[in-house]
Amino acid sequence: MMLQVNLLEAFKQNIILLKSMGLWCYKNERFYKFFKYYVQSSLVFDSSSLIIYVALNIGIKNVTDTIYSLPGSLEVVLQSVLFRKNFHLIKKSLDNLNQPQFQPKNEAQVKILKDSIILSRKVFYSFFGLVFVMITMWMVLPLTKKGKFLPTKYWIPFDYRLPVVYELLYVFECCCIIFHAFSNVALDTFFSIAMVQIGAQCDVLCDSIRNVRELAKINTDGELKQEEYNRMEKVLIGCVHHYNSISE
């Protein structure tokens, strides 16, 4: 019986979040393309306003409350651009997980791969949970203060305290915070999970090499027969192909 593990399960939640943040690419995007442009424009506007605010208030002590968030804001914009630019390579890597050489060859390898999927989910949900709590507090805290305050100090070229204007801007900034935070989660955990899966494949390869005689169905410890030698050679060649696929 052929052993099978769906390796894409490790990326399932991550891919859903990437799509939700407008970071995925489709052949026929149509309405999704407008959503992507909206998200990216929001991130650029948010980061630009933050830079201008810091530049105009660099001599003020309170500006230090805003400076710490500037690198993270710029990083997300850069990461998202690079991710979409190299999406064809990322999609190719995900498609390669369906190749036979990445599948387990015994029960021990099944456990290695399933454990890696569980670890990948823990990485994603841990990061997602912490960020969710952080941005919730970030968005709610200004509402507990007296007066009209925004979640983050930005450069706003008009009086945002006017009725309706304040509410609309508050909602927009909350959207920007969500896009920034969860785009960061989606991108960072994607590559973390990829490294977990690469490590798991290296463990599977090591197991194959250690148990090459078992995989080649060789039970004797004496001199190999030609048929046994051919089977072992086939297994070792498979290990080489497996290594090359991991390296790619």
Side-chain angles (χ1 to χ4, degrees):
M1 184 177 67
M2 191 174 181
L3 301 172
Q4 289 286 332
V5 174
N6 185 5
L7 299 175
L8 288 176
E9 280 293 318
F11 295 90
K12 183 178 178 180
Q13 291 77 15
N14 189 271
I15 290 174
I16 292 173
L17 188 58
L18 285 167
K19 292 177 179 178
S20 302
M21 293 297 106
L23 295 168
W24 205 250
C25 292
Y26 296 97
K27 289 183 179 178
N28 298 315
E29 293 186 330
R30 295 184 181 178
F31 295 109
Y32 187 74
K33 182 177 287 187
F34 289 106
F35 175 66
K36 285 169 63 174
Y37 288 154
Y38 170 71
V39 173
Q40 194 62 34
S41 299
S42 299
L43 294 178
V44 172
F45 173 82
D46 188 68
S47 300
S48 300
S49 297
L50 193 58
I51 292 172
I52 295 172
Y53 177 83
V54 172
L56 293 176
N57 299 277
I58 195 65
I60 300 176
K61 184 178 179 180
N62 291 337
V63 80
T64 55
D65 298 337
T66 305
I67 290 178
Y68 77 93
S69 61
L70 184 56
S73 299
L74 296 175
E75 178 196 12
V76 173
V77 175
L78 180 60
Q79 274 188 316
S80 60
V81 171
L82 293 176
F83 184 86
R84 281 195 292 268
K85 183 178 180 180
N86 297 284
F87 184 79
H88 62 288
L89 298 175
I90 293 168
K91 190 67 169 62
K92 180 181 177 182
S93 298
L94 291 174
D95 292 339
N96 285 343
L97 290 176
N98 295 320
Q99 294 183 18
Q101 57 264 35
F102 290 127
Q103 290 299 317
K105 301 169 184 65
N106 55 38
E107 292 296 334
Q109 295 181 10
V110 170
K111 186 177 186 306
I112 290 172
L113 293 178
K114 286 186 175 180
D115 286 346
S116 73
I117 292 174
I118 293 172
L119 177 58
S120 297
R121 288 174 178 169
K122 288 180 179 178
V123 169
F124 176 81
Y125 284 122
S126 297
F127 198 5
F128 182 90
L130 291 171
V131 171
F132 180 81
V133 172
M134 181 196 72
I135 65 171
T136 300
M137 297 299 294
W138 196 345
M139 292 186 294
V140 172
L141 190 60
L143 298 177
T144 63
K145 300 178 181 179
K146 292 183 179 180
K148 294 184 177 181
F149 295 94
L150 295 173
T152 306
K153 296 177 181 178
Y154 292 118
W155 174 75
I156 307 295
F158 53 82
D159 186 4
Y160 66 85
R161 294 180 177 84
L162 297 174
V164 182
V165 175
Y166 171 75
E167 285 77 12
L168 290 174
L169 190 59
Y170 196 100
V171 171
F172 175 72
E173 287 202 5
C174 286
C175 291
C176 290
I177 290 172
I178 291 171
F179 291 148
H180 266 107
F182 287 136
S183 293
N184 204 355
V185 172
L187 293 167
D188 288 349
T189 55
F190 181 86
F191 296 109
S192 297
I193 291 171
M195 287 188 284
V196 170
Q197 293 306 307
I198 290 171
Q201 289 298 325
C202 289
D203 291 339
V204 167
L205 178 58
C206 290
D207 184 82
S208 297
I209 295 173
R210 280 195 303 267
N211 299 285
V212 62
R213 295 178 70 90
E214 177 186 339
L215 295 176
K217 299 179 181 179
I218 298 172
N219 300 318
T220 61
D221 294 328
E223 186 177 349
L224 295 177
K225 298 178 182 179
Q226 184 61 40
E227 182 182 351
E228 294 174 329
Y229 175 82
N230 291 339
R231 291 203 300 268
M232 181 178 285
E233 183 181 42
K234 185 177 180 180
V235 171
L236 290 172
I237 291 174
C239 289
V240 172
H241 288 317
H242 189 185
Y243 173 79
N244 290 333
S245 297
I246 294 172
S247 300
E248 292 175 359

